[in-house]
Amino acid sequence: MDTRPIKILVAKPGLDGHDRGAKVVAHALKEAGMEVIYTGLHRTVDQIVRIAIQEDVDVIGLSIMSGAHIPITERLVKKAREEGIDDKMVVVGGVIPVRDVLRLKELGVKGVFPGGTPFSEITSFINDNAKKS
Amino acid sequence: MGVAKYTKDEKDRITDVTLQSGIHVKACYGPEDLEQVGFSYEKDLAAPGQYPFTRGIHAEGFRSRAWTTRQYTGFGTPEESNERFKLMISHGQTGLNVAFDLPTQMGYDSDDPMAEGEVGRVGMAIDSLRDFEIAFKDINLEKIGSGLTINAVASIMLAMYQAVAEKYGFDPKRISATPQNDILKEMIGRGSWIFPVEPAVSLIGDTIEYSMNVLPRTNPVSICGYHIRESGATPAQEIGYAILIANAYIDNVLKRGYDVDDFVGHFSFNLNVFGNIWEQVAKFRAARKLWARNLKEKYGVKKDSNMYLRGLFGGGGYGLTKAQPENNIMRGAYYALSAALAGAQTIALCSYDEAYTIPTPHSAILSLRTLQLLMDEIGLRDTVDPLAGSYFIETITKEMEAKIEEEMEKVEKVGGIVRAVATGYVQRLVSRQAYEYEKGLQSGELKKVGLNIHTEGEPMDVELHEYTGESAEKQVAALKQLRRERNDREVQRTLKELETATRAGKNVMPYLVESCKAYATVGEMARVFRDVFGEFQEPALF
């Protein structure tokens, strides 16, 4: 049985500097036994994909508060496909209006966690769905 | 029940109340409590308008002047923001509090690839003086003061504010701007930093030095405990860190050979209001006292009015919930009450829909009315510091003071605030606390109406401010037109002079004003600083 912990990248794309949510979720994931890498602020999509490859993570989690979640996710999914890492699960959290959840899922995002989602919901979703490479 | 922790027994009797800053609240207070905390009327309280200003900075409080109402406003293009500014002023708002979009805050032009998807989204887009000309059109800048919510490139925006004022014929000596201009708090929370700590602090020093000489009514820095608390800090940490940060800016200007009494009277604060009402009131009273004592005892400030803690007390966004959003209207009213009871100079309230997006005209005016009815309808201007002398308030004000001092000592022990921020010490403390707080909410240990208690009812639809990409397209088109029409040679000349001055360590402000007047863009001016200073390397931790 594979006992290696799930490795997840918590990423802050774009210019938005509100990282309270990202850091709080990073704490929760870590406490749930996952290995967490945090990118820090102001990352471009290219940088995030590069870190995901270098660190060989199982999951890429984007935290977006500025409202630009759709264009940013589109770019990330495209870049991940180009780099051949579209098998990695992508999840998105932050200020995400209900009406945009479907659109994000169409783009290939597996889980969407708007602000206020219980930690247990996030961690069990990732535990159940992340495929370890 | 706010953010205090309540322990109850099986009969639902409260057996313990602990405020977020760690103060235990007793069921009843009397004179013996004052004695126990060593309260002295002369040293701890005194009359309003007298050192240490616990009761407020003016002898007559709100009788002599009501608080300024300054709602945070701005979105889309300068045209759209100008319209909203005028709407708020026409409804009786007495100051502007300008919101900039993220590309502007981060020193990128609207057509920069980094700006994609962000132009005009969380504030207005500003690329050049031409945008400021539109944004401030038909606004009397000698009458209406403006808060500018900008930090990393605050020096550029302050220069632009002077340039637009001059363009419209106002006297720089009579205009009043309050840029946030607090980079250390951006590094702790909110994250709109660009340059490394030392040059970033030095740019703030430049704006303070320049304002003294050229923009005497301007408050060149507004220390934002607000954002530190929004990131997870306790009220005691919020004030402790804010005072230490202010001291770092003072130290920078003192090195330039000025007397502290020449400039410190123009420091202002932007502090947070949400949660337990008593803790908030005690926090503000203790903050005024500690700031005054810090200036008098550490820096030898002589003039009383230079020791005033002047502040915008903002009804905090983190207190609001997405669940049952109309409850935020009531929350806002209580936050405003806390701020008014604590003697705010200026109040801004988050609007009830701000847990979703930026406010609609309707919700923004509702917040303004909340402040106005408090001012004119229910007696908040009747008398100064009505809570003074309460056994409870005076006791917890003393206790809060001790908690704040404790937080300051912890930072001093790790080498002071500049070092504590550069190494991520403060960020780590604050993010850990944010996590504990969130866990408290999720477990129900901390109560929040509509979120974890009294959650019955259908979710409601909120009418939201719509963002369309149209504003961004217009802004980019206007920027391209500006680049065609301006005198490029003049732009290059002023930028070159800015670069030379920056490399030489001169005060950059006069050069920025010249660049602004030549219609250099924010991105071009910020590029000069990026090239000379480099970028802040964020400590990678959470």
Side-chain angles (χ1 to χ4, degrees), chain B residues 151 154-155 158 181-183 197-213 220-221 245-246 248-258 263 267 505-510:
Chain B
N151 295 280
S155 53
L158 184 60
N181 206 13
D182 176 3
I183 203 62
V197 181
E198 278 183 31
V201 170
S202 182
L203 278 177
I204 294 169
D206 283 2
T207 59
I208 298 168
E209 181 182 36
Y210 182 77
S211 296
M212 248 186 281
N213 300 313
V221 61
I245 287 173
Y249 303 151
I250 292 175
D251 293 341
N252 184 281
V253 184
L254 288 180
K255 274 196 299 201
R256 300 167 190 234
Y258 291 92
F263 62 89
F267 276 41
K506 287 189 190 168
N507 189 315
V508 298
M509 289 303 296

Side-chain angles (χ1 to χ4, degrees), chain B residues 510-521:
Chain B
Y511 303 93
L512 285 173
V513 174
E514 287 309 301
S515 296
C516 288
K517 285 181 177 169
Y519 296 93
T521 65

Side-chain angles (χ1 to χ4, degrees), chain B residues 477-528:
Chain B
L479 173 61
K480 289 197 189 315
Q481 190 183 347
L482 171 95
R483 287 216 182 92
R484 283 194 302 271
E485 289 172 1
R486 65 183 188 175
N487 180 342
D488 265 331
R489 209 193 277 166
E490 186 62 2
V491 173
Q492 294 317 320
R493 183 187 67 79
T494 57
L495 286 174
K496 187 75 212 155
E497 285 181 4
L498 173 65
E499 191 193 327
T500 310
T502 308
R503 287 194 194 282
K506 287 189 190 168
N507 189 315
V508 298
M509 289 303 296
Y511 303 93
L512 285 173
V513 174
E514 287 309 301
S515 296
C516 288
K517 285 181 177 169
Y519 296 93
T521 65
V522 174
E524 288 163 341
M525 291 180 271
R527 168 53 55 197
V528 170

Side-chain angles (χ1 to χ4, degrees), chain B residues 518-540:
Chain B
Y519 296 93
T521 65
V522 174
E524 288 163 341
M525 291 180 271
R527 168 53 55 197
V528 170
F529 292 156
R530 276 192 162 91
D531 289 346
V532 178
F533 300 143
E535 298 207 358
F536 176 55
Q537 295 307 316
E538 183 186 14

